[in-house]
Amino acid sequence: MATTTLTRRVAAAPPLAPLAGTARLVRLALRRDRVLVPIWLAVFVVSAAGSAGATVGLYPTEASRVAVATTINGNPSFAALYGPILDPTSMGQVSLFKLSALGAALVGLLAVFLVARHTRAEEETGRTELLGAGVVGRWAPLSAALLVVVGTLVALALITAAALAAAGLDVVGSLSFGLSWLVTGLAFTGIAAVAAQVASTSRGTKGLAAGVLGLAYLVRAVADGSPNGDLVGLRWLSPVGWSQELHAFANPRWTVVGLAVVFAATTVALAYALVARRDLGAGLLPDRPGAATAPRSLAGPVGLVVRLNRGSLLGWALGAALLSMVMGGLVANISGFVDENSRPFFEALGGTQGIEDAFMAAEWSFIGVFFAAFAIATLLRLRGEESAGRAEGLLATPLTRRRWASAHLLAALGGAVVLLTVAGVFGAFSTVRATGDPGWWGTVLGAAVVQLPAIAVVVGLTLVAVAFLPRLAVGVSWGSFTLFLLLGEIGPLLRLPTWLLEVSPFAHTPRVPGETVSVAQLGGLTAVALVLLVAGLAGYRRRDLAT
């Protein structure tokens, strides 16, 4: 009788509203992102404001700004990589040209990762199914994710605008620049929402959306790098190009914001329609069946870890090859737009050597930090496998914790070596081809090699965090990376104290080319890295697994 009564009550209950529970899921997402989002906001805002504040004094006259803009716009490599300077007389355009298209693409990437984190990743771990057993509607998880991501992007646009205005740029132009980042972010929020319905995994979601982002950046690069701007109209086919079509600091086109809103609304509507057409936890793309027998390479932990990370390594290697091919054209033409006023800018980043060497050293300083991000993400998969419960099953076999952690460590450091090699070879080839000087082969390859000890230190810090602070490992690792990035890229321009700059291991990397390579410096970094790696392996072997 009791069972019959309960069945009747359930049958008579009204259907659950599709958006039920959205507000609570928003609060949950904000709590989860209370550390991650502020860190990334700080990276973007400080980078923009620091670049603006440092450049204002370098080109004080309109003539100096026109001269540098003419040279940059006349170099197809610069235009393809960063985009042209639309108004040579504008201080904002000149000071932020490197952060226009590239910064917008990074904002789009942030949107992709946040959408995947709060949609597909939640389904993949089973948390969405658990929450769905309560008072949570079918559309609530996607709605909560979109509200959090859009709110983050709007906050980024407004805070960036305020920071640029405080740095001395005009208010309207600062607002238009913040909105140019918002335009691309909104577009890729919608694209990522659709990708989350198509792919069945978080990695697949990020891969699809990031692939579209890469294609959009390539289309924009082709448009901006075309001779005489013949293909500039292609920018309208790229959400990254829309950020430039807004013309920040140069008679802004506010209607571009409306275009981005319409595009985002259309893709989000498509995402909601696809939610109803798939089962929870499944994607619209069918999972491919695996091979009947596993290859011999999967017999050990190293083969498994390499298999897990080979897709991301391939993508990073392709990006490293494409970006480093631009390096030669930049070096060959750098002296054309560097005058006595701007020389301190490059010397602060790369050292006191010749301007070509200083520029090359500055670029490799950034590349070293950039590749450290890959190493961190790869090693943090050790923590991800643990929190997902998959490591427990593996470690129940004769596989030891030390071998399991060492396999991830090898993938992180080995992947960094591969990326440095690819960037070094392609960068050296493009530089020799552009300058006609074969001596750049040894110089560029040497600049690549000296980055490895500092990357090893960062990997060691990440392993220590995973071993001793497993639940805080992600925050500690990326927080340290953010600190090192800001100290290296913005610290010299802000003239921070030497002792503070030297907190970063990359501050102890020789500025090659130009500086004499110090064996003591590299040996010290290597020793620190070894201590951290040994301590991390020992700590991981002794502690309990944590979920």
Side-chain angles (χ1 to χ4, degrees):
M1 177 65 74
T3 303
T4 303
T5 303
L6 178 60
T7 303
R8 289 174 179 173
R9 289 178 179 177
V10 172
L16 191 64
L19 297 177
T22 300
R24 293 191 176 186
L25 291 182
V26 168
R27 291 197 296 269
L28 176 62
L30 291 175
R31 179 175 176 80
R32 292 185 61 208
D33 289 345
R34 65 186 183 278
V35 176
L36 181 66
V37 167
I39 287 176
W40 282 112
L41 290 182
V43 171
F44 284 107
V45 173
V46 172
S47 297
S51 179
T55 311
V56 165
L58 296 179
Y59 305 103
T61 65
E62 183 175 310
S64 63
R65 294 193 290 272
V66 171
V68 69
T70 301
T71 305
I72 291 172
N73 291 340
N75 187 331
S77 297
F78 266 112
L81 183 59
Y82 299 118
I85 296 178
L86 302 177
D87 183 1
T89 65
S90 170
M91 176 63 73
Q93 281 270 317
V94 173
S95 61
L96 294 169
F97 83 96
K98 290 182 66 174
L99 291 176
S100 179
L102 184 60
L106 293 175
V107 171
L109 192 62
L110 173 63
V112 167
F113 276 96
L114 287 178
V115 171
R117 170 180 169 85
H118 293 297
T119 55
R120 179 53 69 178
E122 293 295 285
E123 289 190 42
E124 193 174 2
T125 57
R127 287 190 287 265
T128 299
E129 184 177 8
L130 180 62
L131 292 172
V135 187
V136 175
R138 178 67 165 161
W139 290 353
L142 177 60
S143 301
L146 294 175
L147 288 173
V148 170
V149 176
V150 172
T152 299
L153 296 175
V154 171
L156 173 61
L158 296 178
I159 296 173
T160 300
L164 293 178
L169 302 181
D170 67 276
V171 176
V172 176
S174 299
L175 179 60
S176 64
F177 184 84
L179 291 178
S180 72
W181 278 1
L182 177 63
V183 161
T184 302
L186 288 177
F188 280 98
T189 297
I191 291 172
V194 173
Q197 315 312 316
V198 174
S200 59
T201 64
S202 176
R203 289 172 66 88
T205 298
K206 290 182 283 190
L208 284 175
V212 175
L213 176 60
L215 179 61
Y217 197 86
L218 180 61
V219 170
R220 181 218 57 81
V222 170
D224 289 334
S226 61
N228 302 318
D230 295 337
L231 301 177
V232 70
L234 290 177
R235 280 208 299 252
W236 289 105
L237 300 179
S238 167
V240 178
W242 297 348
S243 66
Q244 294 173 273
E245 290 296 341
L246 198 145
H247 290 187
F249 292 104
N251 298 320
R253 299 174 175 177
W254 306 109
T255 53
V256 177
V257 179
L259 171 64
V261 171
V262 171
F263 179 85
T266 302
T267 50
V268 166
L270 176 60
Y272 277 112
L274 295 177
V275 167
R277 298 179 63 86
R278 67 176 182 86
D279 293 331
L280 185 65
L284 295 179
L285 288 179
D287 293 330
R288 294 182 302 172
T293 58
R296 293 179 61 87
S297 61
L298 294 181
V302 175
L304 174 59
V305 173
V306 170
R307 177 71 172 265
L308 293 174
N309 292 283
R310 65 181 182 181
S312 61
L313 177 59
L314 180 61
W316 277 77
L318 179 60
L322 293 175
L323 291 177
S324 58
M325 284 296 290
V326 182
M327 189 179 299
L330 301 181
V331 173
N333 294 276
I334 189 66
S335 59
F337 74 92
V338 178
D339 55 19
E340 292 301 320
N341 290 326
S342 58
R343 186 175 294 271
F345 175 77
F346 290 98
E347 290 181 347
L349 289 177
T352 59
Q353 58 275 17
I355 196 61
E356 290 83 6
D357 289 353
F359 179 79
M360 180 67 77
E363 291 301 303
W364 272 103
S365 295
F366 174 77
I367 290 173
V369 180
F370 186 59
F371 288 166
F374 166 82
I376 291 174
T378 301
L379 187 55
L380 282 178
R381 182 134 194 170
L382 174 64
R383 170 58 186 156
E385 295 295 303
E386 182 181 352
S387 60
R390 292 186 289 268
E392 185 176 1
L394 288 171
L395 295 175
T397 67
L399 176 65
T400 64
R401 295 191 186 189
R402 181 175 295 174
R403 289 180 61 206
W404 178 235
S406 297
H408 286 83
L409 184 60
L410 180 62
L413 290 176
V417 170
V418 170
L419 295 179
L420 289 171
T421 302
V422 169
V425 170
F426 280 89
F429 172 78
S430 65
T431 306
V432 171
R433 183 178 181 182
T435 62
D437 181 7
W440 280 107
W441 273 105
T443 300
V444 175
L445 292 176
V449 170
V450 298
Q451 307 302 320
L452 186 58
I455 295 176
V457 171
V458 174
V459 171
L461 288 172
T462 303
L463 184 59
V464 168
V466 171
F468 295 99
L469 300 169
R471 291 185 174 86
L472 301 176
V474 175
V476 171
S477 301
W478 289 116
S480 301
F481 170 79
T482 304
L483 175 63
F484 299 155
L485 175 64
L486 294 179
L487 288 177
E489 298 301 312
I490 307 298
L493 301 177
L494 301 180
R495 295 182 174 85
L496 296 179
T498 302
W499 65 266
L500 181 57
L501 296 177
E502 291 181 349
V503 169
S504 170
F506 296 96
H508 303 276
T509 299
R511 295 297 191 263
V512 176
E515 287 186 1
T516 301
V517 176
S518 172
V519 177
Q521 276 185 307
L522 296 179
L525 285 173
T526 303
V528 172
L530 289 175
V531 170
L532 291 172
L533 294 175
V534 171
L537 288 174
Y540 186 78
R541 185 174 64 87
R542 293 178 179 274
R543 73 166 172 82
D544 294 332
L545 293 181
T547 57

